[in-house]
Amino acid sequence: MIQRLTDALGADSVLHAPEDLAVYRFDGYATGATPGVVVLPRTTRDICAVMKVAKEFGVPVVARGAGTGLCGGATPGLGAIVVSFARMNRILELDIARRRVRVQPGVVNLDLSTDVARHRLFYAPDPASQRSCTIGGNIGTNAGGPHCLAYGTTTSHVLGLEVVDEHGEVFTTHIDDIGYDLTGALVGGEGTLGMVSSAWLRLTRMPQSVRVWLVAFGDIDSASETVSAILAAGIVPTALEMMDATIISAVEAVYHAGYPTDAAAVLLIESAGFEEDMERCQTDIARIARDHGALSWHAASSQRERDALWLGRKSAAGAIGSMTPNYYIQDVTVPRTKLPHALRAVEEAVRANGLRVGNVFHAGDGNLHPLIMYDKRNAYEVAAVVEAGTQILTTAIALGGTISGEHGIGSEKRETLGLVYSSDDLDPMLRLRDVFNASGLLNPEKIFPSGARCAEVR
Amino acid sequence: MPDRKRSRVAPTTITMLQEAVISARDHSYALCIRGAGTLDGMGGRVTADLDIHMTHLKGIAAFEPGDLTIGTFAGTTLAELTAVLREHRLMAVLDAPHPQQATIGGTLAGGWLGPRRHRFGRPRDAVIGTTVVMADGRIASSGGMVVKNVTGYDLSKLYIGSFGTLGILARVNFKVQPIPARIRAISARLPEHTRERVIERMQGLSGQISAALLIDGFHREIDGEDGSDGRLVVLLETSEILLEQATRDTRGALGQAGVPEATIVDLGPMDHLQRIIDAGVATIGERSITYRVLGDADDHERRSSQLSADLSRTGLRMERIVDACNGDLFVRLSDRDSRSFAGKLADCDEIVHQHFPRAIVVACTSPIRDQLTIWGEHPAAIEKMHLLKSAFDPDHRLNPGRFLEATTNG
Ligand SMILES: Cc1cc2nc3c(=O)[nH]c(=O)nc-3n(C[C@H](O)[C@H](O)[C@H](O)COP(=O)(O)OP(=O)(O)OC[C@H]3O[C@@H](n4cnc5c(N)ncnc54)[C@H](O)[C@@H]3O)c2cc1C
């Protein structure tokens, strides 16, 4: 098989030395098995060739972007072919007038925005990992990010896809196609429905004016009630992020972002739009924050200060890493009015299991990310983190929420998918999977609980 | 082929709907799923044994204004949805024809796309969860009542635009947004040779305006009287403070495009927009046909002029609506009497598709409609769509004939 892949792609695009393979076992969450081979395609044709070889030999194929995923989506099973898109990192076509761009899947998220900035455009979905994660991975997970509150997640920015299917054939989709919205169904497919070989994306105009505020609170409840109140007042900022005291002190220790270390929680709020609207927006948000007992209010006065505030937020997970040997990021969404309740429940679940938690999350979307600190070498703590994580999932569901807001199901949550969906709910999902992945070779053992098969009809 | 004799049911709950589907399954009945019929001009004629009327499965299933989400049963009308949301100064932007009758399920299944989507998003982006009754009678939900959700595949996307051929939408959950403080329409007559420049200018302003529609014809439907051709209607939705600025910007842009005068319409601007949307599917007896093309407005402008020239030999009258912000084009062709129209229809259909291969029919009541290329050129991934259809509805019992099928039975 390796020979066949080498014939098709060239020796420099096929890795099979054990030391080369080892790094492809991981993503940001889990460790998989050692793959049999890693291929680095340069073109759509290369991907087709790989799929054909995979099919011929009956070997599973795992698509891989930057491997920053947090649900064990890109981790391979033993002997699998990992397809890394690292070399497919070109912007193929840029249509400035119509504000759209066609890119290869390996383009790094932030690189795209940086590249089109000269046209006063940007690519809106901005995961905190945007300095390394790829468009292919973002499409695979339907990634979100702080600014998705106003702009929507990845799925709202993908206009069309070129996909290599399980047989090694190419097909294309577009959201304007008549009939079934395959584009929408494929986004979030976690590599189980095909390999995205290029994508048409929507670009967004840079707003005329951007304001960033940092608001401090003496307790978490006040901060989360402020979030609900802002949205209830009909104000939708472009970002509405929350960090608790644990995160604030971790970030300050490492990045000196200028967060108040005496606060129990801060909200990082960004509004963007027309200059004239921003004053009013600021007044309204400040009033709501004051009514909810805000301790302090700080408006960033320069681009540099805005960047510093954002850098703190986007580096929070890294900063926590300096406080604990290991941490686990949970990802759940609840209806926004349930935020105060959800945060209390998270705190209780973690504390009851004898662990500590930091919260940094997309509060405006109700998307929680408790970072639970533990030590992998301590068996008790490992069990405790699993238990706390599961309790958070059940709490989110009980509050009318769900078990993943943006990270995906992957291998991590597949066995808990049944907490949200009945077997009847899962049935059409499995039918969709079986249409695009009848061979089962595309990223097997992901998303669906083990043993979940398309039940016979009738 | 004449329709087989049909019976009908009108379920009021999802369980009743499920019972109807199960009983139909047991009798091997083909089903025709009916909303209010406002988009009957799209798609093929359904050959079925049982009509399922969805208009009684209605009401609000869940609504917490502070969450900015709402759950609705699929037979709820768009007007009912709008009214409930408006009490809390919220909106879901669907912008479909005849909101007093149109059901949420029918509008979504028909994949309707409205003029304000470039600003407020497509219906597909607002739908956060669906509950569907499948062909085998299973009730299957996906998504939920939260605005961010990657738990399993996003099946809701598939049902939107599926013309009821994959499953029957029973409940739909939306994320909603605040209604802008001020709404204003600006209308103008377009002097000769200004259209291309107007389109370009309006596209430049598309961050500020929510719709810009260039209209030729459709006088009865939109203005209630005959008038001159070449009108523009721009919709502004802004904060209190920005309204006058946006008005000045729009007028300025129009002036630069060679349009000297523009009138402010503050009375019922949304009604005005609604009449234009309704016009998109309006027929003139059995002697008109309306096509819709999605794509690029500037390109459409050129190509529709060529189309007009090519059609002149047929003697058909051409009316059109160009959506400058989204690039949609609606073209209505009509004749003086239905018999002569029927004689020209096949020819005209061919000419339209020469210029716009992807044009689809959105309105036509002529008896010979079924012989036309109502779906235009097939989408590139049609084979995948066929596979999906067979997987979701193996016996092809949901709306047979409505959407492109691999094997035509009729
Ligand atoms: C510090 C940190 C912060 C993060 N913040 C966020 C955040 O704010 N929001 C958020 O949503 N996520 C966040 N993440 C998670 C992660 O970055 C995202 O899930 C991202 O989309 C993964 O991109 P990737 O290129 O690393 O993909 P990978 O991890 O390599 O792959 C992700 C999934 O996509 C599939 N895939 C990859 N490429 C393709 C392709 N071409 N075709 C088909 N399938 C493909 C893979 O098989 C896998 O299932 C964060 C992660 C870290 C480490």
Side-chain angles (χ1 to χ4, degrees):
Chain A
M1 182 178 78
I2 291 176
Q3 188 55 51
R4 291 287 295 281
L5 291 168
T6 310
D7 291 347
L9 271 67
D12 68 333
S13 298
V14 181
L15 310 178
H16 51 86
E19 63 276 19
D20 289 335
L21 298 179
V23 288
Y24 291 92
R25 291 170 60 199
F26 310 92
D27 73 352
Y29 163 77
T31 309
T34 305
V37 59
V38 175
V39 292
L40 297 145
R42 286 194 168 83
T43 62
T44 301
R45 268 178 51 197
D46 286 352
I47 308 173
C48 295
V50 172
M51 271 321 304
K52 289 196 164 130
V53 173
K55 188 178 171 190
E56 185 185 332
F57 288 85
V59 176
V61 179
V62 182
R64 183 182 180 91
T68 68
L70 292 173
C71 66
T75 53
L78 189 65
I81 302 175
V82 169
V83 181
S84 162
F85 293 100
R87 288 183 188 160
M88 291 185 71
N89 59 355
R90 281 188 305 124
I91 293 175
L92 299 171
E93 281 172 76
L94 175 61
D95 182 346
I96 301 156
R98 301 201 170 101
R99 297 191 296 281
R100 59 193 184 193
V101 64
R102 189 161 76 94
V103 301
Q104 290 187 314
V107 168
V108 169
N109 176 298
L110 186 60
D111 290 353
L112 174 58
S113 281
T114 308
D115 193 87
V116 298
R118 61 205 148 101
H119 305 293
R120 294 203 51 75
L121 297 171
F122 69 108
Y123 177 63
D126 61 337
S129 53
Q130 69 180 153
R131 274 170 290 177
S132 35
C133 68
T134 65
I135 296 298
N138 294 168
I139 292 172
T141 57
N142 185 16
H147 289 85
C148 294
L149 174 57
Y151 298 113
T153 56
T154 300
T155 188
S156 298
H157 301 270
V158 177
L159 301 173
L161 294 172
E162 180 191 79
V163 183
V164 176
D165 72 9
E166 58 173 334
H167 311 292
E169 306 294 337
V170 178
F171 68 95
T172 58
T173 70
H174 194 279
I175 53 167
D176 280 343
D177 285 347
I178 196 74
Y180 313 145
D181 181 359
L182 298 180
T183 314
L186 292 167
V187 173
E190 299 193 21
T192 65
L193 300 175
M195 304 250 165
V196 174
S197 50
S198 78
W200 274 109
L201 306 174
R202 182 201 313 283
L203 297 171
T204 304
R205 279 200 188 95
M206 281 186 192
Q208 192 189 58
S209 169
V210 179
R211 302 273 181 106
V212 175
W213 306 288
L214 189 74
V215 195
F217 293 87
D219 60 286
I220 301 239
D221 274 5
S222 305
S224 46
E225 278 156 16
T226 301
V227 171
S228 302
I230 290 172
L231 295 166
I235 305 167
V236 181
T238 36
L240 186 40
E241 301 281 305
M242 184 158 146
M243 287 166 271
D244 70 7
T246 311
I247 300 290
I248 295 169
S249 58
V251 168
E252 277 309 299
V254 185
Y255 295 100
H256 315 293
Y259 297 168
T261 46
D262 55 348
V266 292
L267 293 180
L268 182 63
I269 309 174
E270 182 183 295
S271 271
F274 295 100
E275 183 61 38
E276 294 84 346
D277 281 338
M278 290 300 107
E279 261 335 289
R280 171 75 191 272
C281 193
Q282 168 157 322
T283 316
D284 289 348
I285 295 177
R287 180 180 40 76
I288 294 169
R290 213 172 34 241
D291 291 350
H292 287 82
L295 299 178
S296 70
W297 168 274
H298 174 73
S301 57
S302 64
Q303 178 70 40
R304 236 186 72 216
E305 211 183 334
R306 283 205 298 269
D307 290 347
L309 291 177
W310 271 117
L311 180 70
R313 162 61 186 92
K314 293 202 173 177
S315 313
I320 277 284
S322 64
M323 288 180 65
T324 167
N326 304 96
Y327 65 88
Y328 164 70
I329 309 185
Q330 185 54 286
D331 164 42
V332 296
T333 314
V334 296
R336 316 187 229 222
T337 50
K338 300 288 179 3
L339 263 185
H341 192 129
L343 282 167
R344 281 194 296 271
V346 164
E347 179 68 32
E348 275 160 33
V350 176
R351 202 179 293 157
N353 284 284
L355 298 173
R356 283 188 309 144
V357 65
N359 284 292
V360 45
F361 62 101
H362 314 301
D365 286 318
N367 187 189
L368 272 66
H369 287 330
L371 282 93
I372 310 173
M373 293 172 258
Y374 72 107
D375 186 344
K376 219 170 134 148
R377 295 160 303 188
N378 178 333
Y380 168 78
E381 290 199 358
V382 172
V385 79
V386 172
E387 180 55 31
T390 309
Q391 283 174 19
I392 293 171
L393 296 185
T394 47
T395 301
I397 294 167
L399 292 174
T402 194
I403 61 172
S404 182
E406 58 177 20
H407 293 166
I409 302 299
S411 54
E412 179 199 3
K413 289 180 177 166
R414 55 192 291 242
E415 302 301 345
T416 44
L417 194 63
L419 296 176
V420 181
Y421 293 129
S422 69
S423 60
D424 280 357
D425 294 334
L426 291 179
D427 176 76
M429 294 194 194
L430 290 164
R431 288 177 198 246
L432 170 65
R433 183 194 64 181
D434 291 348
V435 165
F436 287 92
N437 192 3
S439 63
L441 293 180
L442 293 169
N443 210 6
E445 290 171 33
K446 302 291 163 69
I447 304 182
F448 298 101
S450 39
R453 288 243 68 87
C454 206
E456 81 292 330
V457 189
R458 290 192 205 190
Chain B
M1 189 174 79
D3 282 352
R4 280 180 266 172
K5 197 170 177 312
R6 292 183 189 177
S7 24
R8 54 167 278 168
V9 288
T12 53
T13 64
I14 296 182
T15 314
M16 281 171 71
L17 172 61
Q18 179 187 36
E19 282 163 6
V21 173
I22 288 175
S23 128
R25 180 198 70 188
D26 294 344
H27 291 88
S28 295
Y29 283 169
L31 301 175
C32 175
I33 299 112
R34 299 205 47 84
T38 56
L39 297 181
D40 272 357
M42 299 174 81
R45 195 153 46 100
V46 175
T47 309
D49 310 292
L50 177 67
D51 279 350
I52 300 199
H53 286 256
M54 293 296 294
T55 44
H56 292 74
L57 181 49
K58 64 194 301 193
I60 304 303
F63 182 33
E64 174 61 66
D67 288 336
L68 303 186
T69 60
I70 189 165
T72 64
F73 293 109
T76 312
T77 66
L78 304 189
E80 286 161 348
L81 173 64
T82 301
V84 170
L85 291 172
R86 195 169 34 211
E87 276 180 41
H88 300 271
R89 293 207 58 78
L90 296 171
M91 63 178 186
V93 179
L94 300 177
D95 284 349
H98 306 296
Q100 300 291 344
Q101 291 89 44
T103 63
I104 288 169
T107 302
L108 293 175
W112 190 259
L113 293 169
R116 294 189 294 162
R117 68 180 187 275
H118 73 102
R119 169 122 180 246
F120 298 113
R122 293 180 177 228
R124 82 199 271 281
D125 299 317
V127 172
I128 54 173
T130 47
T131 300
V132 163
V133 177
M134 308 297 296
D136 59 10
R138 277 173 219 266
I139 298 175
S141 297
S142 61
M145 287 295 285
V146 287
V147 297
K148 264 170 93 181
N149 194 340
V150 293
T151 309
Y153 297 143
D154 188 358
L155 290 183
S156 302
K157 293 281 193 305
L158 283 181
Y159 305 127
I160 299 170
S162 70
F163 288 90
T165 60
L166 293 181
I168 307 171
L169 280 169
R171 175 178 164 162
V172 182
N173 306 330
F174 295 94
K175 63 176 178 182
V176 298
Q177 42 193 327
I179 297 180
R182 296 296 302 270
I183 302 178
R184 166 176 285 175
I186 293 179
S187 74
R189 293 257 148 82
L190 300 180
E192 288 274 303
H193 310 303
T194 54
R195 300 175 57 102
E196 287 193 32
R197 268 176 295 156
V198 166
I199 289 173
E200 194 187 323
R201 294 283 169 182
M202 292 301 108
Q203 284 172 346
L205 272 187
S206 64
Q208 280 182 63
I209 61 184
S210 24
L213 301 156
L214 287 78
I215 305 153
D216 290 301
F218 296 101
H219 296 286
R220 284 272 145 71
E221 289 84 358
I222 296 170
D223 314 295
E225 59 193 34
D226 285 344
S228 72
D229 263 349
R231 294 104 80 206
L232 170 76
V233 174
V234 177
L235 193 77
L236 304 177
E237 288 175 270
T238 69
S239 61
E240 197 69 51
I241 206 167
L242 269 181
L243 184 68
E244 296 311 325
Q245 179 66 43
T247 307
R248 276 196 299 278
D249 289 351
T250 306
R251 283 189 150 145
L254 288 175
Q256 283 164 342
V259 181
E261 254 179 88
T263 318
I264 291 176
V265 186
D266 275 341
L267 209 67
M270 291 310 272
D271 296 340
H272 199 70
L273 180 74
Q274 189 60 55
R275 284 198 296 276
I276 303 173
I277 295 170
D278 294 352
V281 296
T283 51
I284 312 172
E286 288 183 349
R287 53 191 174 86
S288 77
I289 184 165
T290 309
Y291 294 90
R292 184 190 77 189
V293 199
L294 306 176
D296 306 314
D298 37 2
D299 196 35
H300 287 165
E301 183 51 32
R302 270 194 307 279
R303 282 154 70 195
S304 63
S305 303
Q306 289 161 8
L307 172 65
S308 170
D310 279 8
L311 279 169
S312 59
R313 69 180 148 87
T314 64
L316 293 175
R317 170 164 190 235
M318 178 167 140
E319 301 167 279
R320 62 183 167 163
I321 300 171
V322 173
D323 175 337
C325 298
N326 296 293
D328 303 350
L329 167 69
F330 287 81
V331 175
R332 180 166 75 178
L333 305 170
S334 58
D335 205 352
R336 286 217 180 80
D337 71 89
S338 54
R339 179 135 8 118
S340 90
F341 180 67
K344 296 171 186 171
L345 203 44
D347 203 16
C348 124
D349 193 54
E350 205 182 309
I351 298 172
V352 168
H353 286 108
Q354 276 163 12
H355 291 273
F356 298 101
R358 303 203 114 190
I360 66 161
V361 174
V362 292
C364 179
T365 49
S366 170
I368 70 156
R369 178 181 185 285
D370 290 356
Q371 297 159 28
L372 306 176
T373 321
I374 50 173
W375 293 117
E377 190 179 274
H378 294 183
I382 186 72
E383 280 172 31
K384 299 287 185 205
M385 293 187 193
H386 286 154
L387 290 172
L388 210 55
K389 167 69 179 173
S390 296
F392 276 58
D393 178 20
D395 302 327
H396 293 245
R397 290 189 301 101
L398 296 178
N399 272 353
R402 191 87 207 268
F403 182 58
L404 294 167
E405 287 185 34
T407 47
T408 37
N409 316 315

